[in-house]
Amino acid sequence: MAVGVMYLAMLLAAGTPALAAPPLVITAEHSPPASMKVDGQVVGREGEKIREMLARAGYAYSIDVLPWKRAFTMAQRDPYTCVYSTSRTPERELQFKWVGPTDEAEWVLMGRANRKYNVHTLDDARTLRIGTYNGDARDEFLRARGFDVDGASDNAANPKKLLLDRIDLWAVGMRNNDRSALALNFDVGQIVPVLTFHHVKVYLACNPSVPDAMVERMNAALDSMRKDGTFSRLDKKYEQWQAHK
């Protein structure tokens, strides 16, 4: 018995992944082409990066696509749970342990193509009603700065609200001005970028219960993926991805 306990302690001290921690629970939102389910499997530019990183780090995990607020809340609340792609903001810094960045994004105010906007800086939008969705980093950012924000429970409702004049602008996150994901919800020609107002890096955000050693190992795996071209390969793989209704 004593020998077995001692052997287990040695394995734990050595950081053996299978014994050091339970499987990680990875959550994400449906956000093509970054993350989506195809034939029951989570794929996408970010989804594949996360899966490859976990394979290299040697950690068991489960992964699922959920509504954003649920995915984000699980990572805040549940041990050994992480969520991607999460904007790393000062408001969130101490809530999580951070693995990444896995990508970068621009925050953009979108407006109707048939309306003229006199918006050249973010402050110019203070008199306008901005659509966001609850729990999103853009929602938090704009509310904290006193903007007139109309949060929706489902981001897919915002383009419809914009076209119906229920909001003046819609705050979205886009990668390199890639609007392919937005085409899931409306005719792209009806809604156009008005102002890019912020630039962020996105991460796998992990519950503080995840040990520092695991976070370091996952970050090292991501570093190896950057160096050997895996990041570039996956980015290129999804460059021409087109959303289909």
Side-chain angles (χ1 to χ4, degrees), residues 23-27 42 50-51 54 59-64 74 80 82:
L24 291 169
V25 175
I26 308 297
T27 64
V42 177
I50 297 298
R51 292 165 69 93
L54 289 166
Y59 294 132
Y61 67 95
S62 63
I63 186 169
D64 202 3
M74 286 175 62
Y80 289 90
C82 307

Side-chain angles (χ1 to χ4, degrees), residues 140-162:
E140 296 171 356
F141 180 93
L142 292 168
R143 286 183 190 277
R145 288 157 179 79
F147 284 84
D148 184 5
V149 174
D150 183 4
S153 59
D154 181 358
N155 198 33
N158 279 312
K160 300 172 187 175
K161 289 164 62 177
L162 182 60

Side-chain angles (χ1 to χ4, degrees), residues 15 25 28 65 71 80 90 98 105 123 125 130 134 145 147 151 154 161 178 215-216 220 224 231-232:
V25 175
V65 170
Y80 289 90
W98 301 90
D123 274 342
I130 303 174
N134 299 327
R145 288 157 179 79
F147 284 84
D154 181 358
K161 289 164 62 177
D178 177 10
V215 172
E216 291 169 8
S224 73
F231 262 44
S232 297

Side-chain angles (χ1 to χ4, degrees), residues 1-66:
M1 178 74 71
V3 173
V5 171
M6 184 178 298
Y7 179 64
L8 177 60
M10 290 172 61
L11 287 175
L12 290 173
T16 305
L19 293 176
L24 291 169
V25 175
I26 308 297
T27 64
E29 68 174 333
H30 177 72
S31 182
S35 188
M36 61 270 196
K37 270 188 175 179
V38 176
D39 298 327
Q41 174 133 348
V42 177
V43 295
R45 184 182 59 242
E46 300 306 293
E48 290 198 43
K49 288 177 183 177
I50 297 298
R51 292 165 69 93
E52 174 66 17
M53 176 270 290
L54 289 166
R56 294 190 186 199
Y59 294 132
Y61 67 95
S62 63
I63 186 169
D64 202 3
V65 170
L66 303 167

